[in-house]
Amino acid sequence: NYLNVTLPNAARGNLILYNTQGQVVYQSLITVATNRIRINTSNLHAGVYWLHWRSNNGASEKKKVLIVR
């Protein structure tokens, strides 16, 4: 099970996935400029999560994510 994330611009940065309690359940430092990221979600429970992307150039984006099984 995977979550495919498409970012508005190719960039380096930090990608964090939070659960509804605010706990970090996934974090990745992206060191190669890209606008597509694939996250393995097989160890996550079904539910609502928040995805936060912050690029090295200061751009930031938050998305609500629903994982279903």
Side-chain angles (χ1 to χ4, degrees):
N1 300 331
Y2 291 92
L3 171 63
N4 294 308
V5 179
T6 302
L7 303 169
N9 297 308
R12 294 177 182 94
N14 195 24
L15 184 71
I16 304 171
L17 190 64
Y18 298 93
N19 63 17
T20 54
Q21 287 79 37
Q23 298 167 316
V24 175
V25 295
Y26 175 88
Q27 183 170 1
S28 180
L29 179 61
I30 309 301
T31 58
V32 176
T34 184
N35 70 333
R36 292 180 185 251
I37 299 166
R38 189 173 198 190
I39 300 172
N40 184 343
T41 61
S42 60
N43 62 336
L44 299 177
H45 296 288
V48 176
Y49 293 84
W50 290 97
L51 182 72
H52 184 200
W53 164 255
R54 184 177 305 271
S55 71
N56 288 348
N57 65 12
S60 179
E61 184 171 332
K62 293 181 182 177
K63 290 185 178 182
K64 186 176 182 181
V65 175
L66 179 62
I67 296 178
V68 294
R69 302 277 182 230

